[in-house]
Amino acid sequence: MLRWNSLVSLGDSFTEGMDDPGPGDSYVGWADRLAGMIAQRAPEFRYANLAVRGKMLQEIIDDQVPLAMSLKPDLVTFCGGGNDIMLPNSDPDALAEVYEVAVAELRSTGCDVVIFTGFDTRSTPLLRSIRGKVAIYNTHLWSIAERYHCRMVDLWAMHPLHDRRAWSEDRLHLSPEGHQRVALKAAEVLGLIDDQSWNEPWPALQQTDWVTQRKADLKWAREHVVPWIGRTLRGESMGDGLAPKRPELLPMARCSDESHVVN
């Protein structure tokens, strides 16, 4: 018998599920997939996903944490700070202090909390420059997890995520297969599975030549990085005006509606 009958997921685009397409204009993502796995083991299970793309850490804390606490779930997943870290003037030490206050508030309700390290950006052009800040932030997150007895999903150490097939075209959001890997890793952390299926090797991939790869990098920067910088400078976000996709604790759909769920 599982100890969790309810899950609330908090965060930004990573937890909302971009770019893992679902019905209509919605996204699935690792959190929905994980919720489906829990629901198959807990008949009374309910799930809410409050994550909204583009949100900064303080916005997640201000908008999502109080609502999550009011829902009184057994389990919370909390990931934030990635959008902040990408800003040139961001301070990972200060971000971690804000993050810790939110974790303390969540844990004070008695729920279990799962947190996530940041990704290792060494394989992504331009984002390599923030790798040191991500590492500092991660060090703080590990300490927070220990102090507040949180479970940790170590995205930094997930080597399968260094493969470009784990990422969508924008290289900022996971592909469906990338979300699947994270869902399986989270399931392992929660003790739902006892294998390392998230770590299965990718099929062999034909290598592209240097010139082709550089052209692809330039195209990516022009189509995805430059627009992101522009939105940031204007104080805009992809999530402006958007509501959470699952704002209430509701039972998970069954059977055909869960065809996207990873077993």
Side-chain angles (χ1 to χ4, degrees):
M1 180 70 68
L2 282 180
R3 59 189 292 181
W4 307 292
N5 281 315
S6 54
L7 164 65
V8 175
S9 293
L10 314 177
D12 50 30
S13 59
F14 167 65
T15 303
E16 183 185 348
M18 296 178 70
D19 282 319
D20 184 8
D25 295 327
S26 67
Y27 292 104
V28 182
W30 67 265
D32 287 23
R33 292 169 179 268
L34 175 65
M37 296 172 70
I38 300 176
Q40 291 174 357
R41 295 161 174 82
E44 303 301 319
F45 179 76
R46 296 173 299 147
Y47 168 57
N49 189 320
L50 308 181
V52 177
R53 67 196 75 170
K55 293 301 181 182
M56 299 296 182
L57 178 60
Q58 192 63 59
E59 292 178 305
I60 295 170
I61 292 171
D62 291 344
D63 299 339
Q64 300 175 29
V65 170
L67 179 53
M69 294 174 67
S70 72
L71 294 174
K72 296 180 170 51
D74 302 322
L75 179 65
V76 170
T77 66
F78 177 35
C79 184
N83 290 321
D84 303 76
I85 288 287
M86 291 174 67
L87 298 176
N89 60 346
S90 60
D91 180 350
D93 300 311
L95 280 174
E97 291 179 4
V98 174
Y99 192 100
E100 181 168 359
V101 172
V103 169
E105 291 180 349
L106 290 167
R107 289 289 287 139
S108 71
T109 68
C111 68
D112 288 326
V113 176
V114 179
I115 64 177
F116 299 73
T117 67
F119 296 103
D120 185 348
T121 60
R122 66 181 178 183
S123 302
T124 308
L126 300 183
L127 297 185
R128 294 189 189 102
S129 62
I130 66 170
R131 191 175 185 232
K133 289 199 296 184
V134 176
I136 293 171
Y137 190 51
N138 286 350
T139 300
H140 286 299
L141 294 181
W142 275 108
S143 298
I144 292 169
E146 182 176 0
R147 281 195 291 274
Y148 295 93
H149 307 288
C150 301
R151 298 171 188 250
M152 174 67 84
V153 177
D154 189 359
L155 300 175
W156 179 281
M158 287 186 65
H159 295 294
L161 299 184
H162 294 304
D163 192 289
R164 67 174 181 261
R165 287 167 288 185
W167 298 89
S168 66
E169 183 179 344
D170 69 6
R171 306 187 193 180
L172 299 173
H173 301 102
L174 293 172
S175 65
E177 178 66 17
H179 279 286
Q180 176 177 327
R181 300 280 182 140
V182 172
L184 289 169
K185 177 62 177 177
E188 180 191 70
V189 168
L190 289 172
L192 301 178
I193 57 177
D194 58 6
D195 57 44
Q196 286 201 336
S197 48
W198 59 269
N199 200 29
E200 291 181 0
W202 293 85
L205 183 67
Q206 183 177 357
Q207 298 297 314
T208 56
D209 62 83
W210 186 90
V211 172
T212 300
Q213 187 58 53
R214 296 295 77 75
K215 287 181 178 179
D217 291 344
L218 290 172
K219 182 176 184 290
W220 164 72
R222 182 175 63 253
E223 295 182 358
H224 299 287
V225 178
V226 172
W228 181 87
I229 293 173
R231 287 194 301 270
T232 301
L233 293 176
R234 294 190 299 271
E236 299 174 355
S237 167
M238 291 189 302
D240 289 345
L242 294 182
K245 64 180 183 179
R246 286 183 66 99
E248 300 179 71
L249 271 176
L250 295 173
M252 291 292 293
R254 297 281 177 172
C255 301
S256 61
D257 290 340
E258 281 186 1
S259 60
H260 60 269
V261 172
V262 179
N263 293 308

